[in-house]
Amino acid sequence: MDAPRQPAEERQNVAPLDAPVFWASTVLLAVVLGGSALAPDFADRLFSNIQDGIVVNGSWYYVLVVAIILVSSVVIALTRFGDIKLGPDHAEPEYSIISWFAMLFAAGMGIGLMFFGVAEPVMHFLAPPHGAGGSVSAAREAMTLTFFHWGLHAWATYAIVAVILAYFCFRHRLPLTLRSALYPLIGERIYGPIGTAVDVFAILSTTFGVATSLGFGVEQINSGLNFLFGVPKSVGVQIVLIVVTTGLAAVSVGLGLDAGIKRLSEINIALAVALLAGILILGPTVYLLQTFMQNTGDYMAVLVGKTLNLYAYEPTDWLGGWTIFYWGWWISWAPFVGIFIARISRGRTLREFILGVLVGPTLFTLFWMAVFGNSAIELILSQGAQELGAAVQQDESVALFKFLEHFPLSQVLSGLAVVMVMVFFITSADSGAMVLNMLSSNGRDDTPLSRRMFWMAMIGVSALVLLLAGGMSALQTAAIASALPFSLVILVAIWGFVRALSVDHMKRQTLLLTNVAPSGGHSSTDWKARLRHLLYFPQRPDVEAFIRNAVHPAMQQFAEELQHNGADAQVNVSKGWDQASLSVMHSGEIDFRYLVVAQWHPRPNETDTETDDAEDAGYFRAEVHLNEGSQDYDVMGWTQAQVLHDLLEQYEKHVHFLHVLR
């Protein structure tokens, strides 16, 4: 894979607008939303026809795409590729595991769990795809289907898009947008019309995917307020709720990622755990733990069969209303959640990232569904709460609150649930606006606040118009239909990603195994001088002087010799002499880069001295970096000749790698 160019806008203080992406996506959204608002009846019929056409003719394709995504995610995580980092080899995660998990969970499916945690198991229990409902076997099948829809397939879809984007952004310094996933296949053309089209599709898919979730959220908030305070359930109330919650999300936007999304996500995950624990303790605890284990076993036992089950021999409308909707919903959410998760995941290995996204959130999601779903089914099956089932079948948005009526402190629990849905609404809208903003700004989020506010407003308007045009049916259709073009992008991106990983792995192996000429090392250095260097802890000025007096002249000499032999080489130094780099351009192939950086490290304990200056409390190394990141060795104190030998050794390895790659 060729080394990517850095767009000129990367060097600017504020990210400029990607005008083609912004205006194309805005116009297309305006056409869809404007048509839906002006002709809601026609839009409703159109949405129904689109959904029917996709379900009848394209259900096999959605099933195949999601199956490929799941298999690809697992294979990448468990093979040799899993050791590669999302970023340079020396990069470390920016966020703790807890904060990372909270943010990806809140953005990934928070509202959905609140809306469907009770509704879906009950609806499958009373109306299974085949056979009579209301039985013990129907209860087991209901939980298996719920686990299937909310388990590994959902999170694998998020994981594959996120890991592809994070890899190309943090390891190859490409923009954090969907077009970057195509770089191994089309190279610099990602900055042309093809890349623009991909990012426009991503914006449309993200907007409608987030709008679908917000539609679910606002209906559930309305039902909760009706349950608690008698607020009528109506379109007018839902309009007000969309405006209010979107306004609150705008406040979160103004606070930024760490103070806004991160803080709200941590609060909401704490509330979610509290509500989950309350239902577990107040309900049939032992029974719920038993059913969770059995549900998990049932799910794992039928995973492959369910994945490819299209009910071809027993056609049913159930498939389109549930499984295909979910697959479309997850795919439509993938650009949004993928970019967001990628943004907060720098420094993790591919294995840590994929398994972290697959295992942790999946287990929490399934446990949530098991506790709420089995509790609701047990109420209907064993305690005669038939009114709960009837209420859920009539209006799924009331499911959670009708369920909570059967528990002590139901008003308190319902109030907590309403707050959680609102916070999930805010974090989803805020995260969605951030992602849309990045897609229209060359992958950067250091943009004017007004641009992010625009996308926040667009999300709110989309949810509002689709809700008015056709209610939940329109929202579901928007999610399914918008996923179709983006699914093609995902498949092509997976292919390109595997190709790029193969090249990356080959480079790593080359650096480890290639035999090259001896570098000379420190063999010519007096042993006493070497010992003094080992006991010396240089400060920044010492390393800067070394880079200026030894590293830079060595690089200049090496570059001049390369240029003399017809190579394209250049040397760059920072203003303060804390780093110097040599770049050798290989047209049509991967460029070579050798960078020496003044890197601070804390002193060993036995050498600590009391000081108020954090920098003086440590020491500096002149560390070597290549394209892949830090090589974790120090050249401080080497002679100019020794630096030249090291340069030659690393360049020799690179040339050998290019030979192997050819």
Side-chain angles (χ1 to χ4, degrees):
M1 190 177 75
D2 299 347
R5 69 177 171 89
Q6 293 295 311
E9 56 264 30
E10 293 277 353
R11 300 185 294 270
Q12 300 182 19
N13 293 327
V14 179
L17 185 71
D18 187 338
V21 172
F22 178 85
W23 289 112
S25 56
T26 300
V27 169
L28 286 173
L29 284 170
V31 170
V32 174
L33 297 176
S36 300
L38 294 173
D41 294 336
F42 173 78
D44 189 22
R45 291 194 301 273
L46 179 62
F47 290 147
S48 297
N49 292 334
I50 292 174
Q51 182 166 343
D52 291 342
I54 291 175
V55 171
V56 172
N57 301 305
S59 55
W60 66 270
Y61 171 74
Y62 281 77
V63 167
L64 179 62
V65 169
V66 174
I68 292 173
I69 288 172
L70 178 58
V71 172
S72 301
S73 301
V74 174
V75 169
I76 291 169
L78 299 183
T79 59
R80 64 188 187 275
F81 298 143
D83 297 327
I84 298 173
K85 274 199 173 184
L86 298 174
D89 290 338
H90 62 278
E92 296 295 330
E94 183 178 1
Y95 297 99
S96 69
I97 287 291
I98 294 177
S99 294
W100 181 63
F101 172 76
M103 285 190 285
L104 70 89
F105 180 79
M109 53 181 59
I111 288 179
L113 288 186
M114 299 295 293
F115 192 93
F116 289 104
V118 173
E120 181 169 351
V122 170
M123 294 178 75
H124 293 330
F125 168 62
L126 297 175
H130 289 287
S135 63
V136 173
S137 61
R140 289 186 63 179
E141 177 70 4
M143 293 310 306
T144 301
L145 291 170
T146 302
F147 274 35
F148 176 63
H149 290 152
W150 291 85
L152 293 172
H153 296 81
W155 288 102
T157 305
Y158 296 160
I160 197 68
V161 174
V163 77
I164 292 172
L165 297 178
Y167 174 82
F168 286 113
C169 176
F170 299 131
R171 197 158 180 90
H172 293 284
R173 301 185 297 278
L174 287 165
L176 188 55
T177 64
L178 270 296
R179 68 176 68 200
S180 297
L182 304 185
Y183 192 87
L185 303 176
I186 64 174
E188 295 289 313
R189 285 180 292 170
I190 65 168
Y191 298 109
I194 296 176
T196 297
V198 168
D199 285 344
V200 169
F201 283 142
I203 286 179
L204 296 178
S205 183
T206 297
T207 302
F208 292 130
V210 175
T212 301
S213 290
L214 300 189
F216 287 135
V218 78
E219 282 209 355
Q220 193 168 31
I221 294 171
N222 194 176
S223 295
L225 294 177
N226 176 263
F227 175 79
L228 291 170
F229 308 112
V231 176
K233 290 189 64 179
S234 67
V235 173
V237 172
Q238 291 168 13
I239 292 173
V240 173
L241 289 173
I242 288 176
V243 173
V244 171
T245 49
T246 303
L248 293 173
V251 174
S252 178
V253 167
L255 293 174
L257 177 61
D258 288 341
I261 298 175
K262 177 175 175 286
R263 187 67 53 82
L264 286 174
S265 298
E266 291 172 346
I267 292 172
N268 225 29
I269 199 69
L271 294 175
V273 170
L275 181 60
L276 181 65
I279 300 301
L280 182 63
I281 294 169
L282 295 173
T285 306
V286 175
Y287 170 77
L288 293 176
L289 295 174
Q290 290 174 334
T291 53
F292 170 66
M293 296 298 294
Q294 187 164 336
N295 297 153
T296 303
D298 290 341
Y299 169 56
M300 298 304 297
V302 302
L303 184 60
V304 175
K306 290 286 186 188
T307 296
L308 301 176
N309 187 10
L310 285 160
Y311 298 94
Y313 295 100
E314 303 171 289
T316 173
D317 294 336
W318 181 94
L319 182 68
W322 288 103
T323 303
I324 302 305
F325 161 65
Y326 275 124
W327 288 181
W329 194 14
W330 304 145
I331 293 172
S332 69
W333 261 58
F336 154 49
V337 181
I339 291 177
F340 180 74
I341 297 176
R343 168 67 177 80
I344 61 176
S345 299
R346 186 179 187 273
R348 304 189 184 277
T349 66
L350 268 64
R351 181 174 296 109
E352 177 188 9
F353 175 89
I354 293 175
L355 294 181
V357 174
L358 281 183
V359 177
T362 296
L363 284 176
F364 186 89
T365 299
L366 297 187
F367 190 62
W368 179 284
M369 290 298 189
V371 170
F372 282 84
N374 282 307
S375 295
I377 290 174
E378 197 268 342
L379 285 171
I380 299 171
L381 190 62
S382 303
Q383 299 186 33
Q386 304 302 321
E387 78 285 352
L388 173 60
V392 172
Q393 287 185 309
Q394 184 177 358
D395 183 1
E396 47 274 47
S397 68
V398 304
L400 179 60
F401 306 106
K402 291 293 184 181
F403 166 74
L404 293 175
E405 281 185 329
H406 296 269
F407 289 83
L409 304 172
S410 62
Q411 294 289 109
V412 174
L413 293 175
S414 295
L416 177 63
V418 171
V419 172
M420 288 176 61
V421 175
M422 290 188 69
V423 177
F424 277 131
F425 187 115
I426 292 169
T427 53
S428 295
D430 188 355
S431 306
M434 183 187 78
V435 168
L436 293 172
N437 180 46
M438 292 174 66
L439 285 168
S440 62
S441 305
N442 299 293
R444 293 172 58 182
D445 59 1
D446 53 338
T447 61
L449 183 61
S450 58
R451 200 179 303 169
R452 208 157 148 190
M453 291 297 186
F454 169 82
W455 288 114
M456 176 63 67
M458 185 63 74
I459 289 172
V461 170
S462 299
L464 180 62
V465 171
L466 290 174
L467 200 63
L468 293 173
M472 299 310 298
S473 174
L475 292 167
Q476 291 181 351
T477 302
I480 294 173
S482 63
L484 184 59
F486 184 67
S487 64
L488 297 171
V489 176
I490 293 178
L491 294 179
V492 175
I494 291 174
W495 180 29
F497 182 46
V498 173
R499 288 183 57 181
L501 290 179
S502 299
V503 172
D504 203 321
H505 178 73
M506 191 182 301
K507 179 65 178 295
R508 290 162 60 90
Q509 293 300 110
T510 302
L511 291 173
L512 291 173
L513 302 176
T514 303
N515 292 321
V516 296
S519 67
H522 294 280
S523 60
S524 63
T525 309
D526 177 77
W527 72 272
K528 292 181 180 180
R530 291 177 61 185
L531 180 60
R532 284 196 301 272
H533 177 69
L534 292 174
L535 300 175
Y536 172 54
F537 294 94
Q539 294 301 301
R540 180 185 290 273
D542 303 317
V543 179
E544 290 173 350
F546 170 72
I547 292 175
R548 182 171 57 251
N549 299 324
V551 175
H552 181 247
M555 287 181 173
Q556 287 280 37
Q557 189 176 342
F558 197 82
E560 288 170 4
E561 187 63 22
L562 284 167
Q563 292 164 357
H564 179 72
N565 286 276
D568 183 6
Q570 62 182 33
V571 177
N572 292 292
V573 296
S574 64
K575 184 181 260 186
W577 290 97
D578 60 347
Q579 60 179 269
S581 66
L582 168 73
S583 300
V584 186
M585 275 59 74
H586 292 262
S587 180
E589 296 185 297
I590 299 174
D591 298 335
F592 172 76
R593 186 168 182 258
Y594 183 98
L595 176 70
V596 178
V597 180
Q599 186 70 48
W600 182 88
H601 293 272
R603 291 192 186 188
N605 291 333
E606 62 267 24
T607 65
D608 274 353
T609 58
E610 293 292 330
T611 177
D612 294 329
D613 193 323
E615 187 165 292
D616 290 343
Y619 69 103
F620 283 80
R621 290 168 26 121
E623 294 190 354
V624 174
H625 291 231
L626 302 178
N627 281 329
E628 295 71 36
S630 175
Q631 301 304 292
D632 202 28
Y633 69 92
D634 180 22
V635 297
M636 180 64 189
W638 290 19
T639 66
Q640 184 177 327
Q642 290 164 350
V643 175
L644 274 167
H645 277 296
D646 192 60
L647 264 168
L648 179 61
E649 178 176 310
Q650 294 293 0
Y651 187 61
E652 214 169 358
K653 291 180 179 180
H654 184 77
V655 171
H656 180 81
F657 161 66
L658 295 181
H659 165 74
V660 174
L661 192 59
R662 295 183 192 116

